[in-house]
Amino acid sequence: MRVTLSLLALCLASSALAAEQFDDKFRQLDELLPTPNTYRTASGAPGHAYWQQRADYRIKAKLDEAKRQISGSEEITYHNNSPDTLDYLWVQLDQNIYKKDSDARMMMTAPSQDAWAKAKTAEEGYKYEGLRNVLTGRDFDGGYKIAAVKSPSGQPLRYIINRTMMRIDLPVPLKPGEKLSFDIEWSYNINEQLVLGGRSGYEHFEEDKNDLFEIAQWYPRMAAYYDVMGWQHKQFLGSGEFTLEFGDFDVELTVPADHIVGSTGELQNPDQVLTAAQRDRLAKARTAKEPVLIVTQQEAADAEKKVSTATKTWHYKAKNVRDFAWASSRKFIWDAQGFKKDSTNVLAMSYYPKEANPLWGKYSTQAVIHTINEYNKFALDYPYPVAISVNGPVGGMEYPMLSFNGQRPTKDKKTGEITYSKRNKYGLIGVIIHEVGHNYFPMIVNSDERQWTWMDEGLNTFVQYLAEQAWEEHFPSTRGEPRYIVDYMRSKNQVPIMTNSESILQFGNNAYAKPATALNILRETILGRELFDHAFRTYAQRWKFKRPTPADFFRTMEDASGTDLDWFWRGWFYTTDAVDISLDGITEYGIGTKDPEVEKAWQKQQHDALPESISDQRNHLIPHNLDNKPELKDFYNEHDDYTVTNADRNKYAEAVKDLEPWEKDLLKQGKHLYLVDFSNVGGLVMPLILQIELKSGKKYIERIPAEVWRYSPRKITKLLVTDEEMVGLTQDPFLETADVDVSNNAWPRKMTTSRLELFKQDRSRAPDLMKDFNAPLKGAEKDGKESAKDPAKDKAAAETGTK
Ligand SMILES: [Zn+2]
């Protein structure tokens, strides 16, 4: 490129004149956050005029096992508590994501032109499951068939369906404070979860020819309308989950008579659907010290063998929930145990097929109770009457009072031996803690999931980590410890945590692991456990059964802890910066005493400590003139530059004569002063955690707040004072800040130790057609199973932390 000299000169001149914009890491966040108002206050609490809508449901539904179809009718009563008059209502039709031409299906992309061609491993390549998902999706008759939308008197209501959303136009606008009821009749075909993915669906067991149904997003649900967003009717594309209103549910589920149903809510008609023995066992479970089997494995195995053509209707009621889900199968083993603490009084229950044992019988219900016990400490008292863990095809998914959890042991196809790996075991306990934990976030602290995945997944994964660590010491948590987020923080393909749910890159790391780790760092390193726990609990208490936004969380954490955390939210939630603090240089200063006896001796010591030059070393050996002529020596051969003179002593006496006593004391203290340079390479400002090691072997920590970077966010010089000589300094010695490069954290620098693995040279033979032709023929062997790649699987993988 050719640049004229004058233009270049101009450029240089202008850049020299303009002050570089100061990178203020502590700039207040208010200009990014919404202005506080009467609905949401500046302290992060709901305002005095806070309002939210309400939707009550009466649903009657039937599961057609043979057709794998659900049909139902519902009456929704919608309460307009807003100050606004509404001309229309929006309803969510999430099943429409299974339509052949759904946005979710149409917008799927492939990795690149040549990604599959270059694939060398199963991880890189396209899976059988992936192709089956695409091909089956093209044929599956999914999505809602809406039979009617009408007023209670039977008058049809005008509606229009916009993909996964339906707008119902009201004949008369709904004024503030009014409510209205309307009816919807619908049906849909249930997806085979292992083929089509998703957060619900059925699983077919070829061995006994039975199905297990996990049913969710199954009835048309009111979209949320709220002060910040208006109608939340962003399309359901697969990643951004659900934004819902609270209400009461009255649900009647008609299923095959030999099915066992697990459901959100309290069973209203146990006498009609349970045997006397089952009711008796349930009563015993309430006060039992360990889980009690309501349906034993033997009873479930017996039920698998025949199929009832009769039906039973299970009647449930659930108060103040934002959603309703259920599961149904004749394969279910069922156990239960009561748990009471403070205002919590809950029956913890698990439903699982025999294929889930022995893991499930041992751990599921125990994990449900453990979760509630721990989350109650950090958030709020579990308010619902039941808490359920269901095993089925879905890897991990949450609903009020009920969750789907996928981990199972492995059965050897040849020998039938059942074993489970360490990852299986802790994966199951972890996913149950996670999904049951979602009762708190977002089922009760009802954040807008369609907008912000981190508000429920991040907060929940954080408390999950705390609950896992309370299960057993050194529980192998995959998320929460700062050192485990380092690889992600170093990675290139990132977006900030504050990114819409559908636009997140590296979903599991971005929306689960990073916010969970950030909160753990906030708790352990920035605020301390006492201040943090109070603030976090305040947030849960303020926003239970309400809808918080990110600003409400940020503001509450600051308000209740009394700490300006704007820099922390700005760095961790609004940028993709990483922590990399480098210890660059260090200078030791002793305090000059001005006493020539001391100072000249010190100077001589410094001089003598210098290495002798190479010439001087060799010149020791050559003959010197003075050796033979000692008469040439004089005063200067006896006294070097470090000889103390009377003039020095007089000057010293003169200098200290006018000093105040405290000034004289300072000269004698003998403290060691160090100027240490730190640079902020990663961009994220963090506190300095300095481990100082003294000559005597004593080690101690000094914690310096992040504000040390306020005037100079890139490079600072810090004065350290020690009582004796310092021999080592380490920044972040316990790896608590997720520093992405610790090779620059210590003085003196520490050596990296590793292991060199040697490999055999590849001497494999060239293709030999004759040898291959003569090889004996073996029986064909089957491939192992791989998981399919689709958005819903991403969620399941993210939930179980396997991404
Ligand atoms: Zn989750």
Side-chain angles (χ1 to χ4, degrees):
M1 184 191 276
R2 188 187 289 262
V3 180
T4 65
L5 196 63
S6 62
L7 183 62
L8 187 67
L10 190 70
C11 290
L12 287 171
S14 63
S15 66
L17 282 173
E20 201 180 316
Q21 196 181 347
F22 182 66
D23 180 15
D24 183 1
K25 305 283 187 190
F26 295 85
R27 188 170 180 161
Q28 293 294 284
L29 211 52
D30 303 66
E31 54 202 73
L32 281 177
L33 300 181
T35 307
N37 54 40
T38 54
Y39 309 132
R40 293 163 197 276
T41 70
S43 69
H48 66 85
Y50 178 85
W51 56 268
Q52 68 189 17
Q53 308 295 66
R54 175 176 189 86
D56 298 324
Y57 297 81
R58 295 174 66 89
I59 309 175
K60 290 186 169 135
K62 185 170 192 280
L63 169 66
D64 186 327
E65 185 176 30
K67 288 187 186 163
R68 290 161 173 154
Q69 190 182 71
I70 291 187
S71 54
S73 64
E74 67 185 292
E75 180 195 67
I76 302 179
T77 301
Y78 188 70
H79 305 254
N80 182 13
N81 299 325
S82 81
D84 313 322
T85 297
L86 302 174
D87 296 326
Y88 47 77
L89 308 177
W90 283 96
V91 173
Q92 310 189 50
L93 301 179
D94 308 287
Q95 282 298 324
N96 285 358
I97 201 168
Y98 293 107
K99 281 186 179 292
K100 291 172 184 150
D101 61 349
S102 72
D103 284 357
R105 230 190 274 294
M106 302 307 277
M107 72 182 193
M108 280 170 84
T109 54
S112 74
Q113 269 302 324
D114 54 359
W116 298 340
K118 284 185 179 164
K120 290 279 185 292
T121 64
E123 199 51 47
E124 298 166 349
Y126 199 44
K127 317 276 193 307
Y128 288 98
E129 282 78 359
L131 185 58
R132 180 175 63 170
N133 177 299
V134 167
L135 297 185
T136 311
R138 290 160 64 98
D139 294 333
F140 178 61
D141 182 20
Y144 282 114
K145 294 174 175 59
I146 302 288
V149 179
K150 58 191 184 188
S151 70
S153 62
Q155 291 298 103
L157 292 170
R158 212 170 71 120
Y159 67 91
I160 182 161
I161 293 173
N162 174 11
R163 297 163 291 173
T164 62
M165 293 285 167
M166 173 166 71
R167 193 190 71 225
I168 300 176
D169 295 330
L170 302 178
V172 181
L174 186 64
K175 294 206 181 68
E178 290 184 348
K179 63 177 178 179
L180 78 85
S181 297
F182 59 96
D183 298 338
I184 304 177
E185 289 169 20
W186 42 265
S187 65
Y188 70 87
N189 294 319
I190 304 166
N191 56 301
E192 184 172 6
Q193 203 280 340
L194 293 173
V195 175
L196 285 165
R199 293 165 175 76
S200 59
Y202 73 87
E203 177 180 6
H204 181 65
F205 293 77
E206 192 50 41
E207 206 175 286
D208 53 78
K209 306 281 188 258
N210 278 294
D211 288 351
L212 186 161
F213 294 90
E214 291 184 322
I215 304 299
Q217 290 80 244
W218 58 288
Y219 61 96
R221 305 183 288 184
M222 285 307 304
Y225 180 81
Y226 71 107
D227 56 305
V228 173
M229 190 64 69
W231 285 105
Q232 175 49 284
H233 46 28
K234 184 175 169 61
Q235 291 291 328
F236 180 36
L237 300 176
S239 292
E241 292 188 321
F242 311 108
T243 311
L244 298 157
E245 308 284 13
F246 288 102
D248 294 344
F249 283 70
D250 184 316
V251 179
E252 291 174 45
L253 302 168
T254 300
V255 301
D258 53 353
H259 271 209
I260 292 291
V261 173
S263 172
T264 299
E266 259 182 315
L267 183 63
Q268 301 296 304
N269 60 339
D271 293 354
Q272 286 159 358
V273 293
L274 302 180
T275 64
Q278 287 166 347
R279 295 197 301 271
D280 186 46
R281 291 166 183 174
L282 263 178
K284 285 200 176 78
R286 287 239 162 245
T287 52
K289 294 275 178 283
E290 55 189 29
V292 171
L293 283 162
I294 315 302
V295 176
T296 66
Q297 180 154 340
Q298 188 56 53
E299 289 162 350
D302 290 345
E304 284 178 353
K305 288 171 188 151
K306 44 194 183 298
V307 174
S308 171
T309 51
T311 61
K312 272 183 187 170
T313 298
W314 299 59
H315 183 195
Y316 290 91
K317 283 186 181 174
K319 275 196 179 320
N320 218 14
V321 287
R322 45 161 262 176
D323 201 359
F324 193 103
W326 50 288
S328 185
S329 182
R330 65 178 60 80
K331 287 180 67 68
F332 278 143
I333 302 164
W334 176 13
D335 71 38
Q337 183 185 345
F339 175 73
K340 275 189 186 182
K341 193 180 182 190
D342 301 324
S343 69
T344 294
N345 183 5
V346 61
L347 195 58
M349 302 194 279
S350 298
Y351 297 78
Y352 45 97
K354 64 179 188 303
E355 288 76 4
N357 264 337
L359 264 183
W360 273 68
K362 190 170 175 68
Y363 291 121
S364 178
T365 295
Q366 297 274 8
V368 173
I369 290 172
H370 175 75
T371 307
I372 291 171
N373 191 32
E374 292 302 316
Y375 275 65
N376 276 19
K377 293 177 196 166
F378 293 103
L380 50 95
D381 285 4
Y382 187 81
Y384 295 130
V386 300
I388 293 171
S389 167
V390 178
N391 180 253
V394 177
M397 189 57 204
E398 67 276 11
Y399 299 95
M401 307 185 211
L402 176 139
S403 59
F404 300 148
N405 301 297
Q407 291 276 351
R408 272 179 207 156
T410 313
K411 186 175 179 180
D412 189 279
K413 279 179 183 166
K414 284 179 191 153
T415 64
E417 186 192 11
I418 294 168
T419 55
Y420 55 85
S421 63
K422 181 178 174 186
R423 192 173 153 161
N424 252 172
K425 173 191 163 178
Y426 290 102
L428 175 67
I429 297 166
V431 79
I432 292 176
I433 291 172
H434 182 95
E435 304 309 340
V436 174
H438 270 308
N439 274 293
Y440 299 78
F441 310 97
M443 297 303 151
I444 293 168
V445 179
N446 183 23
S447 57
D448 180 345
E449 296 181 77
R450 186 67 41 98
Q451 190 65 33
W452 306 114
T453 296
W454 71 267
M455 283 201 77
D456 66 300
E457 297 300 355
L459 269 57
N460 182 40
T461 302
F462 163 66
V463 189
Q464 176 196 349
Y465 167 75
L466 301 179
E468 286 174 347
Q469 293 309 311
W471 175 277
E472 72 184 59
E473 201 172 12
H474 306 306
F475 186 104
S477 299
T478 53
R479 291 165 174 161
E481 263 294 340
R483 65 191 71 177
Y484 297 144
I485 198 71
V486 165
D487 282 346
Y488 169 69
M489 298 299 281
R490 264 199 290 252
S491 69
K492 294 279 174 255
N493 205 25
Q494 280 192 55
V495 288
I497 293 174
M498 285 294 288
T499 297
N500 174 269
S501 300
E502 289 297 341
S503 302
I504 292 169
L505 305 172
Q506 303 198 59
F507 203 78
N509 279 321
N510 176 289
Y512 292 63
K514 184 177 171 185
T517 310
L519 292 180
N520 197 29
I521 291 172
L522 191 58
R523 181 173 189 251
E524 300 283 26
T525 302
I526 316 289
L527 291 177
R529 292 186 173 190
E530 204 176 352
L531 281 177
F532 178 95
D533 291 352
H534 169 74
F536 191 81
R537 192 173 164 84
T538 299
Y539 167 72
Q541 293 289 337
R542 282 178 172 180
W543 290 98
K544 62 185 175 189
F545 298 109
K546 293 191 169 74
R547 181 176 289 112
T549 63
D552 301 318
F553 177 68
F554 298 150
R555 285 171 167 150
T556 293
M557 292 302 290
E558 298 195 11
D559 189 64
S561 71
T563 311
D564 176 4
L565 297 170
D566 283 11
W567 63 272
F568 186 84
W569 311 127
R570 189 178 277 283
W572 281 92
F573 287 72
Y574 285 87
T575 78
T576 56
D577 288 349
V579 176
D580 180 12
I581 293 173
S582 168
L583 201 168
D584 294 335
I586 194 160
T587 314
E588 181 181 13
Y589 285 83
I591 295 174
T593 60
K594 302 189 189 296
D595 181 346
E597 311 286 352
V598 177
E599 294 307 312
K600 283 203 158 171
W602 182 82
Q603 285 165 15
K604 181 169 169 52
Q605 199 185 0
Q606 298 300 303
H607 176 268
D608 292 348
L610 287 174
E612 211 173 4
S613 82
I614 192 66
S615 294
D616 283 353
Q617 290 177 40
R618 290 169 181 165
N619 290 343
H620 285 310
L621 304 173
I622 63 169
H624 295 98
N625 191 24
L626 224 57
D627 295 340
N628 296 325
K629 298 176 180 166
E631 67 274 18
L632 294 183
K633 291 189 178 175
D634 74 348
F635 178 83
Y636 289 103
N637 294 99
E638 304 302 321
H639 298 279
D640 61 16
D641 292 347
Y642 306 106
T643 300
V644 179
T645 66
N646 285 335
D648 290 334
R649 295 185 182 106
N650 292 338
K651 192 177 163 198
Y652 173 51
E654 186 69 22
V656 297
K657 181 169 60 104
D658 294 332
L659 287 184
E660 302 285 338
W662 66 269
E663 288 172 322
K664 285 180 185 166
D665 284 348
L666 271 185
L667 298 181
K668 288 184 209 151
Q669 283 206 346
K671 296 284 184 197
H672 295 255
L673 274 55
Y674 297 90
L675 285 185
V676 189
D677 284 343
F678 295 95
S679 59
N680 172 7
V681 181
L684 256 185
V685 289
M686 283 296 274
L688 300 176
I689 301 130
L690 302 178
Q691 185 178 60
I692 294 164
E693 188 180 354
L694 301 180
K695 198 171 184 182
S696 63
K698 187 183 167 199
K699 281 184 186 178
Y700 61 96
I701 300 279
E702 279 192 10
R703 288 178 178 268
I704 295 155
E707 280 80 357
V708 73
W709 299 99
R710 69 203 182 287
Y711 298 132
S712 180
R714 289 284 157 197
K715 199 165 187 60
I716 51 169
T717 302
K718 179 77 191 144
L719 170 67
L720 299 181
V721 181
T722 61
D723 291 336
E724 46 174 302
E725 193 182 327
M726 180 167 74
V727 295
L729 180 62
T730 307
Q731 148 65 11
D732 192 13
F734 311 124
L735 307 180
E736 60 189 277
T737 67
D739 193 314
V740 299
D741 178 9
V742 293
S743 74
N744 56 20
N745 282 27
W747 172 83
R749 289 281 190 255
K750 292 197 172 94
M751 199 184 298
T752 308
T753 54
S754 190
R755 268 283 189 269
L756 175 67
E757 295 294 339
L758 296 179
F759 297 95
K760 282 179 102 70
Q761 193 170 337
D762 185 10
R763 297 190 180 88
S764 60
R765 64 186 175 86
D768 181 341
L769 184 65
M770 191 189 297
K771 190 174 166 68
D772 292 348
F773 187 84
N774 293 333
L777 195 62
K778 285 184 193 168
E781 283 185 44
K782 277 188 178 172
D783 284 344
K785 202 172 184 188
E786 293 282 346
S787 63
K789 175 85 181 160
D790 70 67
K793 278 278 158 98
D794 275 7
K795 153 84 181 179
E799 291 288 310
T800 50
T802 55
K803 271 197 77 124

